[in-house]
């Protein structure tokens, strides 16, 4: 069967989804399909028989005419252009103008084949923009395949190595950077990236001009359409200036603005490193020193802040010069400085601090017509080598700071211009272990377990009737033994925890009294000098008693005679406020220290408690009996009753009564009982 050729051609043209038309040399369209004619807004029947100019439009035809003419001259030509298609907007077409000849070679006309390549055009533009961006970017960009060969690199990276970008294709990265550097510095990161991880790191390099630089490397997996990792995209950026700025900012963040030495943050960071090393193996001992300037307030108040700033700057310079190169020096507060001394020998820290005191003595600040001298209170906390695992793990930054701070406070309270050491540092191995167990027990109680409270009855020696009870805190240490106030007080004082201990015990006593659990007897409780100076404790205690006036009449606060020399006006004011509310104040441990008679005459106390140094062994010691008699005479002159403490022998009760002592407590009267 013979197919009608012309009909077959027409059917093929009509079936095509791309625009097609055929025109004769006079530009008359003899055949066309719908995708072509709709561009001109016509039907196929309307377009056939018209000229290309009529169908394409007067605006578009001049652009197409040269390509038609070239095809009519026998040469195929290709035009790519944007065309407005009704209902589709601007589309980009690739149009091929093909000459059509008969069997004898005579030109019959031109067949134009259009192809919508809008998506390809957009992709090419994106690719061109991408290639332009990659080529022009200052970052060094490369794609490296799984065999560590370059798929491509940009001009920035090529120029760095003195090559062209094209010359990199297919070259081995090992060839570019060298075998040793590749194995040590690059391959580990590349392998992590090719395993699916995005990695980033800094490394030091040398620029083409020989300058040292810091480069930031970022490696990202390159996946194909199936999600398989084919290569690594490597971006290298020069971050030298950024890192320098970052390091400068970091230095500023760790530097005191006024003095130029390290600040508290840097000081504690250095201490954290040492504590971590000590906890790991216990062999690296060190000392922490707190320095509180004596009389700095006088400089500020007398000569102004300008003089105060100059004073602090001079002290910082003096500390740097006198401490030595291996000592870290920091300003940790207004007029407080700190040192970290790397030495396993506490004596080394003492030697440095003695040198500092001598330097302080020689310093003078001359400001206008005024001259100021300097001195300092210095506290030392030494951490010595430790083999005991529990002791090492018990060490914390906070604990070391607490030791040094409390030692400095003791130096200040003793009059300043002196050195005080945390006294837990010179102990034997067994002593240190016991100290750690005691400290942990006290800290656990403070942290939430609380203290066990026992009560000891105080009786009237005349009638034998109970008149008062003293509440005593106890705590179970790691050895399972129940320890009393002496261990708690000595441990808390050494580690600066007395305020926390007093706060918990006083709060427990008040809570018990509020529920009516004291058998109607007044309750005595110790309060340390440190606590009496706490404005927070004073405010909370006075406020609570003001809200419950009946509590005050049931309370006796005991203050040790040895603390009197350290009491500042705020402590005396608190005791006065408590007495005004109805509390009584007892002078505890009388005979152990040297209480000032002016303080006794000032009507500051309601009771005098005679220390066990005078009451122990009373029967066989006439000197002690004479001393007790003297205390009683002093108390009677002041109108104060006396209480004999720690009376352990029943026969002492009659002796004390005969000496005029009013009250007594101790095992001869009643041993401590759980206060429950």
């Amino acid at each position: 069967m013979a197919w009608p050729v012309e009909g077959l051609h027409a059917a093929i043209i009509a079936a095509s989804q791309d625009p097609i038309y055929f025109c004769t040399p006079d530009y008359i369209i003899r055949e066309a399909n719908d995708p072509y004619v709709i561009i001109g807004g016509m039907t196929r029947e309307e377009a056939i028989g018209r000229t290309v100019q009529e169908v394409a439009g007067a605006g578009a035809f001049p652009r197409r005419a040269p390509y038609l003419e070239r095809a009519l001259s026998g040469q195929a030509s290709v035009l790519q252009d944007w065309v407005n298609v009704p209902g589709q907007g601007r589309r980009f077409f690739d149009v091929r103008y093909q000459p059509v000849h008969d069997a004898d070679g005579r030109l019959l006309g031109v067949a134009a084949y259009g192809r919508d390549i809008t998506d390809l055009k957009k992709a090419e533009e994106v690719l061109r923009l991408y290639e332009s961006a990659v080529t022009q970017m200052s970052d060094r960009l490369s794609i490296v395949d799984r065999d560590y060969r370059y798929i491509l690199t940009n001009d920035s990276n090529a120029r760095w190595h003195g090559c062209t970008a094209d010359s990199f294709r297919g070259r081995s990265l090992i060839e570019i950077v060298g075998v040793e550097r590749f194995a040590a510095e690059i391959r580990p990161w590349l392998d992590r990236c090719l395993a699916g991880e995005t990695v980033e790191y800094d490394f030091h390099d040398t620029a083409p001009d020989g300058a040292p630089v810091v480069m930031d490397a970022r490696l990202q997996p390159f996946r194909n359409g199936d999600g398989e990792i084919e290569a690594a995209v490597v971006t290298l950026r020069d971050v030298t200036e950024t890192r320098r700025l970052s390091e400068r900012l970091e230095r500023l963040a760790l530097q005191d603005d006024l003095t130029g030495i390290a600040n508290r943050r840097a000081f504690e960071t250095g201490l954290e490193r040492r504590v971590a090393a000590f906890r790991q193996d216990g062999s690296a001992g060190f000392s922490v020193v707190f320095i509180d300037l004596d009389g700095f307030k006088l400089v500020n108040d007398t000569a102004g802040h300008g003089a105060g700033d100059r004073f602090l700057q001079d002290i910082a310079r003096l500390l740097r010069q006198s401490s030595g190169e291996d000592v870290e020096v920091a300003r940790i507060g207004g007029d407080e400085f700190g040192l970290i001394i790397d030495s396993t020998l506490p004596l080394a820290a003492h030697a440095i601090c003695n040198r500092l005191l001598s330097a302080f003595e020689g310093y003078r600040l001359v400001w206008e017509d005024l001259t100021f001298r300097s001195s300092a209170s210095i506290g030392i906390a030494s951490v010595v080598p430790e083999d005991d695992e529990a002791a090492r793990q018990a060490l914390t930054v906070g604990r070391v700071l607490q030791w040094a701070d409390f030692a400095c406070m003791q130096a200040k309270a003793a009059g300043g211009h002196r050195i005080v050491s945390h006294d837990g540092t010179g102990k034997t191995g067994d002593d240190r272990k016991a100290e750690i167990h005691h400290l942990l027990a006290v800290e656990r109680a403070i942290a939430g377990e609380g203290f066990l409270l026992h009560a000891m009855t105080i009786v009237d020696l005349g009638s034998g009737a109970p008149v008062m009870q003293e509440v005593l805190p106890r705590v179970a240490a790691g050895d399972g033994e129940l320890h009393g106030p002496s261990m708690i007080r000595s441990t808390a004082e050494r580690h600066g925890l007395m305020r926390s201990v007093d706060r918990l015990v006083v709060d427990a006593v008040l809570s018990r009294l509020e529920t009516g659990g004291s058998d109607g007897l007044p309750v005595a409780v110790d309060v340390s000098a440190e606590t009496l100076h706490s404005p927070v404790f004073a405010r909370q205690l006075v406020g609570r008693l003001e809200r419950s006036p009946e509590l005050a009449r049931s309370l006796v606060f005991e203050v040790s005679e040895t603390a009197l020399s350290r009491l500042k006006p705020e402590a005396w004011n608190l005791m006065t406020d408590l007495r005004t509310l109805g509390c009584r104040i007892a002078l505890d441990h009388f005979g152990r220290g040297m209480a000032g008679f002016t303080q006794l005459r000032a009507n500051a106390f309601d009771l005098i408690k005679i220390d066990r140094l005078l009451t122990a062994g009373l029967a066989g010691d006439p000197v002690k009996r004479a001393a007790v008699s003297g205390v009683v005479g002093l108390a009677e002159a002041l109108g104060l009753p006396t209480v004999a403490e720690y009376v352990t022998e029943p026969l002492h009760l009659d002796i004390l009564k005969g000496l005029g002592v009013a009250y007594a407590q101790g095992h001869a009267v009643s041993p401590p009982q759980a206060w429950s």
Side-chain angles (χ1 to χ4, degrees):
M1 176 180 179
W3 290 96
V5 176
E6 291 185 3
L8 179 59
H9 289 170
I12 293 173
I13 292 173
S16 175
Q17 299 299 310
D18 295 322
I20 300 175
Y21 72 86
F22 171 76
C23 70
T24 54
D26 53 4
Y27 296 156
I28 301 296
I29 294 175
R30 299 301 181 181
E31 187 58 78
N33 63 358
D34 290 337
Y36 171 71
V37 298
I38 62 173
I39 294 174
M42 300 180 183
T43 64
R44 178 173 175 274
E45 288 74 16
E46 291 172 337
I48 292 175
R50 296 194 178 192
T51 65
V52 175
Q53 182 177 7
E54 290 176 316
V55 175
F61 180 73
R63 169 79 174 143
R64 290 152 176 66
Y67 296 90
L68 276 169
E69 290 175 2
R70 190 174 300 120
L72 288 171
S73 67
Q75 298 179 10
S77 60
V78 177
L79 165 68
Q80 291 186 342
D81 199 8
W82 289 96
V83 177
N84 286 316
V85 179
Q88 298 182 40
R90 283 172 57 81
R91 306 295 295 174
F92 193 77
F93 282 90
D94 177 276
V95 183
R96 181 178 181 82
Y97 295 92
Q98 179 67 43
V100 178
H101 299 85
D102 62 11
D104 297 327
R106 289 175 299 184
L107 179 70
L108 298 178
V110 175
Y113 308 92
R115 184 162 59 94
D116 188 338
I117 58 170
T118 306
D119 292 341
L120 181 60
K121 174 67 173 176
K122 290 179 179 179
E124 286 179 347
E125 288 184 350
V126 170
L127 182 60
R128 178 177 57 79
L129 291 173
Y130 173 76
E131 289 177 343
S132 175
V134 168
T135 300
Q136 297 180 39
M137 69 189 298
S138 59
D139 290 352
R140 296 159 54 192
L141 181 107
S142 303
I143 299 179
V144 179
D145 66 18
R146 302 190 71 88
D147 294 325
Y148 313 121
R149 292 186 177 277
Y150 285 96
I151 295 175
L152 66 84
T153 196
N154 68 350
D155 289 341
S156 293
N157 190 55
R159 285 194 301 270
W160 183 277
H161 293 283
C163 305
T164 64
D166 289 340
S167 69
F168 264 76
R169 290 192 177 93
R171 290 182 69 182
S172 171
L173 176 59
I174 302 173
E175 176 188 343
I176 301 295
V177 302
V179 175
E180 291 184 4
R181 185 180 176 193
F182 174 77
E185 301 179 24
I186 300 175
R187 181 170 181 171
W189 297 101
L190 264 176
D191 288 347
R192 285 172 58 181
C193 177
L194 293 170
E197 182 181 354
T198 296
V199 294
E200 188 167 3
Y201 64 97
D202 285 358
F203 66 94
H204 293 273
D205 203 354
T206 302
D209 62 2
V213 293
V214 180
M215 303 297 298
D216 172 80
R218 181 177 177 83
L219 285 65
Q220 294 176 285
F222 182 87
R223 301 177 185 273
N224 60 21
D226 297 326
E228 298 171 341
I229 298 173
E230 292 186 342
V233 180
V234 181
T235 306
L236 305 178
R237 174 173 296 179
D238 185 343
V239 293
T240 307
E241 291 304 318
T242 302
R243 294 297 182 266
R244 285 176 182 166
L245 177 60
S246 177
E247 289 173 2
R248 182 170 179 270
L249 292 174
E250 181 65 22
R251 284 196 302 272
L252 290 174
L254 298 174
Q255 188 179 74
D256 177 59
D257 291 338
L258 177 64
T259 63
I261 62 176
N263 59 16
R264 188 180 186 101
R265 177 184 171 192
F267 180 77
E268 293 185 354
T269 299
L271 181 55
E272 286 170 359
R273 291 197 305 271
R274 289 164 175 84
V275 168
F278 181 83
R279 287 165 64 99
Q280 183 173 0
D281 61 25
S283 62
F286 60 92
S287 293
V288 172
V289 178
F290 271 18
I291 301 171
D292 191 330
L293 301 181
D294 300 330
F296 172 72
K297 189 174 185 295
L298 178 65
V299 180
N300 259 350
D301 293 348
T302 305
H305 291 291
D309 289 350
R310 171 68 178 279
F311 188 80
L312 293 173
Q313 290 167 345
D314 287 350
I315 293 298
R317 186 161 49 251
L318 183 150
L319 289 173
R320 280 200 302 262
Q321 293 170 350
S322 303
S323 298
E325 295 182 357
D326 297 331
V327 177
E328 291 189 20
V329 181
R331 182 183 176 209
I332 56 179
D335 61 344
E336 297 175 343
F337 293 83
L339 309 177
I340 301 179
I341 302 169
D342 290 312
S343 174
T344 58
L345 299 175
L347 287 177
H350 268 276
I352 290 173
C353 291
N354 279 319
R355 193 162 65 235
L356 290 176
L357 279 185
S358 297
F360 284 136
E361 289 177 353
Y363 170 76
R364 300 289 185 275
L365 171 66
V366 179
W367 188 267
E368 297 177 349
D369 58 344
L370 300 172
T371 300
F372 298 95
R373 302 177 63 181
S374 68
S375 64
S377 301
I378 300 178
I380 304 175
S382 294
V383 177
V384 298
E386 179 62 75
D387 293 328
D388 181 70
E389 176 72 13
R392 293 205 311 268
Q393 297 309 314
L395 189 76
T396 64
V397 170
R399 188 165 291 156
V400 177
L401 292 174
Q402 196 174 59
W403 292 341
D405 188 34
F406 190 67
C408 185
M409 288 170 53
Q410 289 179 310
K412 196 83 169 177
H417 195 63
R418 69 192 63 217
I419 301 168
V420 172
S421 295
H422 166 63
D423 62 4
T425 56
K427 298 177 180 293
T428 65
D430 289 340
D431 287 341
R432 283 202 300 271
K433 292 178 183 179
E435 175 79 8
I436 290 298
H437 288 308
H438 294 167
L439 177 59
L440 292 175
V442 172
E443 287 186 330
R444 282 196 300 269
I446 292 172
E449 293 183 8
F451 294 96
L452 303 172
L453 298 184
H454 286 63
M456 178 173 277
T457 302
I458 301 173
V459 300
D460 185 318
L461 286 174
S463 65
V467 294
M468 195 185 308
Q469 53 187 341
E470 181 179 357
V471 173
L472 307 170
R474 279 170 162 66
V475 66
D479 55 10
E481 184 179 351
L482 198 62
H483 294 270
S486 296
M487 183 280 274
I488 294 172
R489 185 181 301 110
S490 62
T491 301
E493 285 180 346
R494 280 195 297 274
H495 299 279
L497 299 173
M498 274 311 305
R499 290 185 181 182
S500 297
V501 171
D502 287 343
R503 176 180 53 80
L504 284 174
V505 173
V506 170
D507 182 69
V509 169
L510 290 175
S511 298
R512 176 70 182 276
L513 291 176
E514 286 170 342
T515 61
S518 67
D519 300 325
L521 294 175
V523 174
V525 60
D526 269 351
V527 182
S528 67
E530 288 75 26
T531 302
L532 289 173
H533 290 110
S534 168
V536 175
F537 175 83
R539 185 170 59 251
Q540 292 176 345
L541 176 59
V542 171
R544 190 167 180 178
L545 294 178
E546 285 177 340
R547 292 190 298 272
S548 304
E550 69 284 355
L551 289 180
R553 293 186 291 273
S554 300
L555 284 170
V556 180
F557 289 104
E558 298 186 1
V559 181
S560 175
E561 181 194 14
T562 56
L564 292 190
S565 63
R566 294 185 281 132
L567 296 186
K568 297 179 182 179
E570 53 265 35
W572 292 105
N573 292 339
L574 174 58
M575 290 193 292
T576 299
D577 292 341
L578 293 174
R579 294 184 77 213
T580 301
L581 290 169
C583 300
R584 284 180 286 174
I585 306 295
L587 181 58
D588 197 14
H589 303 306
F590 191 82
R592 181 179 295 185
M594 292 293 292
F597 285 101
T598 56
Q599 294 161 343
L600 292 175
R601 290 197 192 101
N603 192 29
F605 300 98
D606 301 283
L607 293 165
I608 293 179
K609 301 187 74 174
I610 305 171
D611 191 73
R612 62 177 163 183
L613 290 176
L614 300 181
T615 60
L618 192 64
D621 194 331
V623 175
K624 287 187 176 181
R625 291 199 299 273
V628 171
S629 179
V631 173
V632 171
L634 173 64
E636 287 177 348
L638 296 169
L640 302 177
T642 52
V643 181
E645 298 184 289
Y646 297 95
V647 182
T648 58
E649 301 293 334
L651 64 90
H652 289 169
L653 296 175
D654 289 335
I655 296 174
L656 290 167
K657 179 180 177 182
L659 293 173
V661 177
Y663 309 116
Q665 68 181 97
H667 283 266
V669 175
S670 174
Q673 302 291 329
W675 200 41
S676 59

